[in-house]
Amino acid sequence: MTEHDEQQEWITGKHPVMEALRAGREINKIWIAEQSQRSLTQPIIAEAKTRGIIVQFVDKRKLDQMVQGVPHQGVVAQAAAYRYAELEEILEAAKAKGEEPFILLLDEIEDPHNLGSILRTAECTGVHGVVIPKRRSAGLTPTVSKTSAGAVEYVPVARVTNLAQTIDRLKDQGVWIAGTDVTDAQEVYRANFNLPLALVIGNEGKGIGRLIREKCDFLVKLPMHGRLNSLNASVAAGVLMYEVVRQRGAQGSSASGTQRNG
């Protein structure tokens, strides 16, 4: 069986499965390894029973075959495929909370572990939604779900055909676009993030594409004092997200004087 298809998803690991249950995810069936410690899986069993979901105990080798190559901790759930959000839903989520939009745009993040880690930090920092392109990008797979520690159940993810056009739509809604760069950019701690914001995180190797960079309203970079000139994409994204949190929590911050490029 594959990790991902249009009809179903495999959720693996105790924590991701439990978070999926708590989030009300549509789950068809749960398999638990007979060798698992019952005390660790009991909360899952109890929650599944409450929701009328079938739980089957099987040999661990069967789980290994079901989700080949994906660590599962003795727990696998079969769920309806993830529903990707619409961009408008993400903007509405911010409006419903009375907050300025805080969105991540991921420009061809291909490593599912990076995507999962980014989603985990996004959930912790109050990001309203994440946007990924349909092509040359990791999608919502069991690996992403497990790495996100269940955050995939709470952070809306929109999948778009054209990221550049999506940026234009966000600009029309008054959202400012900040891109990450390692060269011609201001240091992140000098930038103003206290405004309707979409942060662009570039590909692990190439960074942000030329067209996307040109569409950004401003570029920021992280200060580098070591011999390496770049950070892992998920680490860099985490630093940036928490700088937004810091600025938005500070008193007296203002977007006055900010002018949009172009």
Side-chain angles (χ1 to χ4, degrees):
M1 296 183 183
T2 60
E3 281 195 18
H4 172 93
D5 62 40
E6 294 182 356
Q7 302 302 322
Q8 64 186 17
E9 296 282 348
W10 298 99
I11 305 174
T12 61
K14 299 181 183 72
H15 192 69
V17 171
M18 192 66 210
E19 290 301 331
L21 287 165
R22 288 172 176 165
R25 184 79 180 278
E26 184 181 338
I27 294 177
N28 302 321
K29 189 175 180 179
I30 297 173
W31 289 264
I32 295 177
E34 294 169 337
Q35 299 91 330
S36 297
Q37 292 185 32
R38 199 57 59 90
S39 60
L40 298 178
T41 56
Q42 190 57 43
I44 293 174
I45 297 168
E47 187 67 26
K49 183 177 180 180
T50 300
R51 293 186 50 192
I53 297 169
I54 296 172
V55 176
Q56 182 178 350
F57 296 92
V58 297
D59 189 276
K60 177 182 175 294
R61 288 172 295 183
K62 178 175 176 62
L63 301 185
D64 294 339
Q65 295 171 353
M66 291 171 66
V67 288
Q68 296 180 19
V70 181
H72 53 69
Q73 299 177 306
V75 181
V76 173
Q78 182 193 62
Y82 285 104
R83 188 188 75 82
Y84 287 94
E86 297 293 333
L87 184 64
E88 289 71 20
E89 293 178 62
I90 294 174
L91 292 170
E92 281 299 321
K95 185 177 180 181
K97 294 180 179 179
E99 299 171 350
E100 297 282 21
F102 181 15
I103 300 168
L104 292 186
L105 305 178
L106 307 185
D107 187 14
E108 299 183 10
I109 295 292
E110 297 174 320
D111 186 337
H113 296 91
N114 276 337
L115 177 55
S117 295
I118 289 171
L119 288 172
R120 183 172 186 173
T121 308
E123 200 282 327
C124 293
T125 54
V127 169
H128 298 112
V130 175
V131 179
I132 62 174
K134 289 182 178 178
R135 297 181 60 194
R136 295 187 293 274
S137 174
L140 298 181
T141 67
T143 299
V144 172
S145 175
K146 183 162 177 42
T147 308
S148 79
V152 70
E153 303 295 338
Y154 302 106
V155 181
V157 177
R159 206 176 186 192
V160 300
T161 303
N162 190 307
L163 198 59
Q165 291 179 1
T166 299
I167 288 175
D168 290 336
R169 290 170 61 191
L170 286 170
K171 286 185 175 183
D172 289 342
Q173 295 294 323
V175 177
W176 293 75
I177 314 298
T180 50
D181 199 17
V182 295
T183 54
D184 186 22
Q186 62 181 321
E187 283 200 0
V188 62
Y189 304 117
R190 297 179 181 273
N192 177 21
F193 289 148
N194 196 29
L195 36 69
L197 181 70
L199 279 176
V200 185
I201 308 298
N203 172 273
E204 292 90 349
K206 301 176 294 183
I208 298 175
R210 180 188 59 80
L211 176 60
I212 301 301
R213 182 185 288 106
E214 291 174 354
K215 283 186 172 291
C216 291
D217 292 306
F218 58 97
L219 298 173
V220 297
K221 64 181 178 181
L222 293 170
M224 296 289 172
H225 301 294
R227 296 185 180 183
L228 302 179
N229 68 350
S230 65
L231 289 172
N232 169 276
S234 63
V235 174
V239 175
L240 290 162
M241 282 185 264
Y242 270 101
E243 176 59 14
V244 175
V245 171
R246 186 194 70 79
Q247 289 194 22
R248 290 190 172 191
Q251 297 298 316
S253 295
S254 169
S256 62
T258 306
Q259 296 182 354
R260 189 185 294 281
N261 291 343

